[in-house]
Amino acid sequence: MQVKITTIPGLTFSVQIEEVNDRDALGGLICYLASLYRLDPRTSARHLIRRSRIPGSAAEMRNEFHRDGIQAFRRLEPATT
């Protein structure tokens, strides 16, 4: 099992992307999970924002936050009326 953690620093908080994948002896994909967390700078607590089981989604999340910054979080918030 391979775990890859990427932290994207920000001014008010950091974003952490945790990517877990497990492969069989022939290299076939058994399990994939990408989780996106918001890191609280004062307490270092991790708050789960999004989770995906689609392979390659961690790279997509990482690119979205590099490109759009804080605007990417507004798309993840539930709509309030």
Side-chain angles (χ1 to χ4, degrees), residues 17-21 29 32-36 50-65:
I17 301 171
E18 184 179 76
E19 190 175 9
V20 178
N21 66 26
L29 187 63
Y32 179 86
L33 180 67
S35 302
L36 180 70
R50 189 192 309 179
R51 189 172 273 172
S52 178
R53 295 184 300 170
I54 301 171
S57 60
E60 182 181 319
M61 288 184 218
R62 189 178 315 110
N63 291 339
E64 186 175 339
F65 278 97

Side-chain angles (χ1 to χ4, degrees), residues 11 21 30 32 34 54 56-57 66 68 73:
L11 295 175
N21 66 26
I30 295 173
Y32 179 86
I54 301 171
S57 60
H66 278 298
D68 300 331
F73 276 110

Side-chain angles (χ1 to χ4, degrees), residues 1-70:
M1 184 181 307
Q2 180 183 11
V3 178
K4 180 180 176 185
I5 298 175
T6 305
T7 303
I8 303 170
L11 295 175
T12 57
F13 56 87
S14 297
V15 175
Q16 186 177 58
I17 301 171
E18 184 179 76
E19 190 175 9
V20 178
N21 66 26
D22 195 12
R23 298 191 177 268
D24 62 8
L26 298 176
L29 187 63
I30 295 173
C31 157
Y32 179 86
L33 180 67
S35 302
L36 180 70
Y37 296 99
R38 178 181 172 264
L39 297 176
D40 188 347
R42 289 175 282 158
T43 62
S44 297
R46 298 184 338 165
H47 303 281
L48 180 65
I49 298 171
R50 189 192 309 179
R51 189 172 273 172
S52 178
R53 295 184 300 170
I54 301 171
S57 60
E60 182 181 319
M61 288 184 218
R62 189 178 315 110
N63 291 339
E64 186 175 339
F65 278 97
H66 278 298
R67 183 184 65 235
D68 300 331
I70 193 76

